[in-house]
Amino acid sequence: MNEKEIITFRAYGGCYASRNNGAVEGAKKGAVAVVIRSINLAHDDHPHTGGMTYEDGVEKIPSAAISTNDAEYIRTKYKSQRLRLLLDLNCQTLDPKPSHNVIGEIRGSQFPNKIITVGGHLDSWDIGEGAHDDGAGIVHSIEALRILKSLGYRPKHTLRVVLFMNEENGNMGGTTYASWVKQREEEHIAAIESDRGGFSPRGFDVDGSQYYLSLLKSFMPLFEPYELYRFEKGFGGVDIMPLKEHFQDIALFGFVPDSQRYFDFHHAATDVFEAVNKRELELGAASIACLIYLLDKNFTIPQGTKHRQRK
Amino acid sequence: MNEKEIITFRAYGGCYASRNNGAVEGAKKGAVAVVIRSINLAHDDHPHTGGMTYEDGVEKIPSAAISTNDAEYIRTKYKSQRLRLLLDLNCQTLDPKPSHNVIGEIRGSQFPNKIITVGGHLDSWDIGEGAHDDGAGIVHSIEALRILKSLGYRPKHTLRVVLFMNEENGNMGGTTYASWVKQREEEHIAAIESDRGGFSPRGFDVDGSQYYLSLLKSFMPLFEPYELYRFEKGFGGVDIMPLKEHFQDIALFGFVPDSQRYFDFHHAATDVFEAVNKRELELGAASIACLIYLLDKNFTIPQGTKHRQRK
């Protein structure tokens, strides 16, 4: 990963393909297996797992990741020498089993069929607990609505928590949810996702029209005393992304916490409960509750546009 | 500590007196000893130590801190019942021994007698390693000048690292340094301190004239891409504070990292090497190196003022 990228997700984006496409690209060049340096910034002994793909018509060769320390050891000790590696892998792809998104909501008092969702994903990689990815997003989402409920807030729009099942391995939860709401002829005006860990909040990205960016930026003075500064065009989240295919004018908001420590834990055995700081987690939930409140209060259908499903 | 304070140092400021003045105020009311709830935000089992004072003419009663969990246990289990506590303390104040500030510098090419210092403090409380308080500040200070040196930068002003000895127990390092530079008739134009931990950088506070605040704010666009947003009037640092008594127009800059986790470690057994994240520490050092560079490049003596020693 490129250490010079301040936003570590950009560094991840820059080398994600080595894991995802390594087996296909390797096989095309005649490789019998592919081994990558784990995609994380820390120099440690933990291999980081994650999604990888095969392609029909290309040989399905084994694919593995080793820790950054191990990769560094091999690189510096053996340099350009030819090496033989014995791979002993026992991973396998089992048949899919039915599972479920988990949904809860507070019905809107004025526009019950206009929905603001907030969510994260329930599934995680097996080698850790998935505390940051995405236990934090699950807690953020439930806690945000619990805060509003505990304050006795009666929303105008329906506020819905969606805990998505299976983001990591094909985004089944996100695609299924989007199809489901289309069938129900619901109208989604905004969706918020937390899937970048439970660290100190810095702001929100928005993937949507200029109206939504302006609306988000108009909230800045309210967030700044709480040290949230970043309100920009950007990425919403994998789980909520399929909603864009159905709703033309929806805005997707991605919660942006401090990203510096995220890849120390991402998809690794280190992503455990103890790695999440309670206060940082709570500040994230409070920030998301505020955004939901502000959207619910201030959202109006922009002139000249109509929130509608795509054809 | 008041959890609602976003900047945790403000919460610390709000209850610091209970530890510092507890023994004096207790004795005045006839107490035989004083026991406080540790000054930290986490609910854990670690007592947090720190400075406390006695007053001539007031009985010197024992003073102790218990963990937040223990304090909560006593409060909820015994409520307003009368309790007897057996205190078994073995702490004592030993005679002072000579020690030293550690100083290194890169001489200025144009104004060698005009000095920009950067520092932290070498001493720490005995129950931990002092990794965040203030090992991080020590690394930040050395590393900031190492970065500039490794780039071959030739500063106009003298850049000096000062590793202060004994901040925690009377600020002897800071007061001694200020007297020493006065004797040498040096001119200090700016001093930077890092003593708020090794977390993700957020900005700098400045304690100085409007000229310096404007100068600092003029650097903002250069820092913002690196997620430093906070450039405000504020506190410099305990070690550099005595310089203000000698230099009328000096500016003191306090490095401001994210403060949410700091009091989990402050003055406790938890303040160890492993609690510092390498990348967050490095980003702090790089931020401080940038500020030193920008001050060295852009500082000019403001019109109508003269940097001079106080009478």
Side-chain angles (χ1 to χ4, degrees):
Chain A
M1 286 177 83
N2 180 3
E3 296 182 1
K4 292 184 183 172
E5 288 283 6
I6 291 301
I7 297 171
T8 60
F9 288 91
R10 287 196 195 138
Y12 180 68
C15 53
Y16 161 83
S18 72
R19 191 189 69 219
N20 197 64
N21 311 340
V24 169
E25 296 306 317
K28 282 181 186 168
K29 291 188 164 56
V32 294
V34 62
V35 176
I36 65 159
R37 175 190 166 107
S38 282
I39 306 180
N40 66 307
L41 282 157
H43 296 204
D44 65 22
D45 296 322
H46 301 286
H48 290 232
T49 187
M52 54 81 62
T53 49
Y54 287 124
E55 210 174 279
D56 283 343
V58 180
E59 199 190 347
K60 292 176 177 165
I61 61 172
S63 170
I66 58 174
S67 76
T68 48
N69 277 351
D70 285 346
E72 212 46 33
Y73 176 79
I74 292 172
R75 189 181 70 83
T76 53
K77 186 163 172 71
Y78 296 102
K79 297 193 177 72
S80 55
Q81 283 178 253
R82 288 180 71 89
L83 276 185
R84 292 171 72 96
L85 242 70
L86 174 66
L87 295 186
D88 184 4
L89 305 175
N90 61 5
C91 44
Q92 50 185 311
T93 302
L94 302 178
D95 288 335
K97 298 283 176 199
S99 191
H100 302 275
N101 293 333
V102 179
I103 299 175
E105 65 183 25
I106 304 173
R107 294 285 285 169
S109 58
Q110 286 182 48
F111 312 110
N113 207 38
K114 289 188 202 297
I115 294 164
I116 300 171
T117 71
V118 57
H121 63 84
L122 286 165
D123 59 305
S124 68
W125 288 94
D126 52 324
I127 56 173
E129 296 170 6
H132 277 292
D133 184 15
D134 185 22
I138 295 296
V139 173
H140 280 156
S141 303
I142 298 174
E143 176 66 4
L145 254 64
R146 190 205 61 79
I147 290 169
L148 294 172
K149 186 152 189 263
S150 76
L151 295 169
Y153 180 63
R154 297 252 303 143
K156 292 199 281 187
H157 307 84
T158 291
L159 309 183
R160 182 182 290 170
V161 175
V162 185
L163 313 181
F164 296 94
M165 178 50 78
N166 187 9
E167 183 261 8
E168 297 288 2
N169 200 10
N171 202 22
M172 288 294 292
T175 51
T176 304
Y177 178 72
S179 306
W180 183 72
V181 300
K182 190 179 184 182
Q183 279 169 16
R184 288 161 59 95
E185 299 189 349
E186 291 178 345
E187 191 178 325
H188 275 50
I189 60 174
I192 304 165
E193 178 152 354
S194 165
D195 187 20
R196 303 182 203 181
F199 308 97
S200 273
R202 291 243 151 138
F204 292 93
D205 278 351
V206 60
D207 175 4
S209 65
Q210 187 57 38
Y211 164 75
Y212 274 109
L213 181 62
S214 305
L215 187 63
L216 184 65
K217 283 192 182 282
S218 75
F219 303 152
M220 276 178 70
L222 298 165
F223 279 110
E224 278 179 354
Y226 301 93
E227 304 216 295
L228 280 77
Y229 301 91
R230 187 192 153 84
F231 299 86
E232 302 291 346
K233 277 256 180 199
F235 182 62
V238 171
D239 295 286
I240 59 177
M241 186 75 111
L243 289 168
K244 264 177 89 171
E245 288 164 33
H246 296 311
F247 298 102
Q248 201 156 18
D249 307 308
I250 194 172
L252 308 182
F253 295 91
F255 170 63
V256 179
D258 195 294
S259 76
Q260 302 311 325
R261 286 176 287 146
Y262 186 68
F263 288 95
D264 294 4
F265 309 115
H266 181 249
H267 296 185
T270 48
D271 190 5
V272 293
F273 184 82
E274 295 76 7
V276 181
N277 180 278
K278 181 167 177 276
R279 183 173 167 87
E280 291 189 337
L281 187 69
E282 286 171 343
L283 289 173
S287 307
I288 293 167
C290 291
L291 179 62
I292 294 169
Y293 171 85
L294 291 167
L295 288 172
D296 183 56
K297 277 284 199 196
N298 294 286
F299 174 80
T300 48
I301 295 171
Q303 249 185 345
T305 72
K306 186 175 170 307
H307 268 71
R308 59 196 182 278
Q309 295 198 354
R310 290 187 196 277
K311 300 296 165 204
Chain B
M1 285 178 86
N2 179 4
E3 296 182 2
K4 293 184 181 171
E5 288 283 7
I6 291 301
I7 297 171
T8 61
F9 288 90
R10 286 196 197 139
Y12 181 67
C15 53
Y16 160 82
S18 72
R19 191 190 69 220
N20 196 65
N21 312 339
V24 169
E25 296 306 316
K28 281 182 186 169
K29 291 186 165 57
V32 293
V34 62
V35 177
I36 64 159
R37 174 192 167 107
S38 282
I39 305 180
N40 66 308
L41 282 157
H43 296 205
D44 65 21
D45 296 322
H46 301 286
H48 289 233
T49 188
M52 54 81 63
T53 48
Y54 286 125
E55 211 173 280
D56 283 342
V58 180
E59 199 189 346
K60 292 174 177 165
I61 62 172
S63 172
I66 58 174
S67 76
T68 48
N69 277 352
D70 285 346
E72 213 45 33
Y73 176 79
I74 292 172
R75 191 182 68 84
T76 53
K77 187 163 171 73
Y78 296 103
K79 297 191 177 74
S80 55
Q81 281 178 254
R82 288 180 71 88
L83 276 186
R84 291 171 71 96
L85 242 70
L86 174 66
L87 295 186
D88 184 4
L89 306 175
N90 61 6
C91 44
Q92 50 184 312
T93 302
L94 302 177
D95 288 335
K97 298 282 176 200
S99 191
H100 302 275
N101 293 333
V102 179
I103 299 174
E105 66 183 24
I106 303 174
R107 295 284 286 170
S109 57
Q110 286 183 46
F111 312 109
N113 206 40
K114 288 188 203 299
I115 294 164
I116 299 172
T117 71
V118 58
H121 63 85
L122 286 166
D123 59 306
S124 68
W125 288 94
D126 52 324
I127 56 174
E129 296 170 5
H132 277 292
D133 183 14
D134 186 22
I138 295 297
V139 173
H140 279 157
S141 304
I142 297 173
E143 177 66 4
L145 254 64
R146 190 204 63 78
I147 290 169
L148 294 172
K149 187 154 188 263
S150 75
L151 295 169
Y153 181 63
R154 296 254 302 144
K156 291 200 281 186
H157 307 84
T158 291
L159 309 183
R160 181 182 290 169
V161 176
V162 185
L163 313 181
F164 295 94
M165 178 50 78
N166 187 8
E167 183 260 9
E168 297 288 2
N169 201 10
N171 202 22
M172 287 295 292
T175 50
T176 304
Y177 177 72
S179 306
W180 182 72
V181 300
K182 189 179 184 184
Q183 278 168 17
R184 288 161 59 94
E185 298 188 351
E186 292 178 347
E187 191 177 326
H188 276 50
I189 60 173
I192 304 165
E193 178 152 355
S194 166
D195 187 19
R196 302 182 204 183
F199 308 98
S200 274
R202 291 243 151 138
F204 293 92
D205 279 350
V206 60
D207 175 4
S209 65
Q210 187 57 39
Y211 164 76
Y212 276 108
L213 182 62
S214 305
L215 187 64
L216 184 65
K217 283 193 182 281
S218 75
F219 303 152
M220 276 179 70
L222 298 165
F223 280 110
E224 277 179 355
Y226 301 94
E227 305 216 294
L228 279 76
Y229 301 91
R230 188 192 153 85
F231 300 86
E232 301 292 346
K233 278 257 180 196
F235 182 62
V238 171
D239 295 285
I240 59 177
M241 187 75 109
L243 289 168
K244 264 177 89 172
E245 289 164 31
H246 295 313
F247 299 102
Q248 201 155 19
D249 307 308
I250 194 173
L252 308 182
F253 295 91
F255 169 63
V256 179
D258 195 295
S259 76
Q260 302 312 326
R261 286 176 287 145
Y262 186 69
F263 288 95
D264 294 4
F265 309 115
H266 180 249
H267 296 186
T270 48
D271 190 6
V272 294
F273 184 80
E274 294 77 6
V276 180
N277 180 279
K278 182 167 175 276
R279 183 172 166 88
E280 291 189 337
L281 187 69
E282 287 171 344
L283 290 173
S287 307
I288 293 167
C290 290
L291 179 62
I292 294 169
Y293 171 84
L294 290 167
L295 287 173
D296 182 57
K297 277 283 198 199
N298 295 286
F299 173 80
T300 48
I301 294 171
Q303 249 185 345
T305 71
K306 188 174 169 307
H307 267 71
R308 59 194 181 280
Q309 294 199 353
R310 288 187 197 277
K311 299 298 166 205

